[in-house]
């Protein structure tokens, strides 16, 4: 996997296009996967966690959905930070295992 970009709900990996369920906020290639953080849109759940960080392989197949640092209903991921850490809506800086989507570390910052 060399290149990944997005346009609204379309994930583009090495020129191949895949329509996803939500508008894409950011995408990065990490561990040969396209890691997507969905933006809040009209389809985002209102009364439960938004499982909005997902990894896709070069064929657009879902590999994993990231764990959240809490079980709060408002939990969601916001954006990538330095060193591929991810900012979480609950004021956590999160480190994921990008091969599995499991949470390795979460630092509360508020």
């Amino acid at each position: 996997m060399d290149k990944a970009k997005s346009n609204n709900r379309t994930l583009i990996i090495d020129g191949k296009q895949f329509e996803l369920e939500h508008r894409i906020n950011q995408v990065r290639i990490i561990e040969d996967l396209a890691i997507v953080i969905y933006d809040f849109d009209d389809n985002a759940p209102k009364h439960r966690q938004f499982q909005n960080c997902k990894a896709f392989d070069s064929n657009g197949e879902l590999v994993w959905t990231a764990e959240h640092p809490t079980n709060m209903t408002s939990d969601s991921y916001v954006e990538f930070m330095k060193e591929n850490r991810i900012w979480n809506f609950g004021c956590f800086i999160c480190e994921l295992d990008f091969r599995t989507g499991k949470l390795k570390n979460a630092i509360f910052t508020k």
Side-chain angles (χ1 to χ4, degrees), residues 23-87:
R23 189 175 58 240
I24 299 166
N25 180 23
Q26 291 181 311
V27 60
R28 284 192 183 175
I29 297 175
I30 305 171
E31 299 284 339
D32 206 36
L33 295 169
I35 312 299
V36 169
I37 298 176
Y38 290 133
D39 201 1
F40 290 97
D41 63 15
D42 293 339
N43 297 324
K46 306 287 187 255
H47 304 290
R48 64 178 172 83
Q49 284 188 343
F50 186 21
Q51 302 292 326
N52 69 321
C53 181
K54 298 182 183 256
F56 298 89
D57 66 17
S58 60
N59 294 313
E61 296 294 322
L62 178 65
V63 176
W64 52 255
T65 301
E67 288 183 333
H68 283 292
T70 76
N71 60 1
M72 303 297 289
T73 58
S74 62
D75 219 345
S76 64
Y77 287 101
V78 178
E79 64 185 352
F80 285 105
M81 301 174 69
K82 292 179 183 175
E83 300 172 351
N84 291 330
R85 291 190 172 109
I86 303 176
W87 180 250

Side-chain angles (χ1 to χ4, degrees), residues 1-5 12-16 28-30 32-34 57-58:
M1 185 178 305
D2 295 316
K3 251 179 140 176
K5 60 183 182 176
I12 305 160
I13 301 172
D14 295 336
K16 296 182 281 185
R28 284 192 183 175
I29 297 175
I30 305 171
D32 206 36
L33 295 169
D57 66 17
S58 60

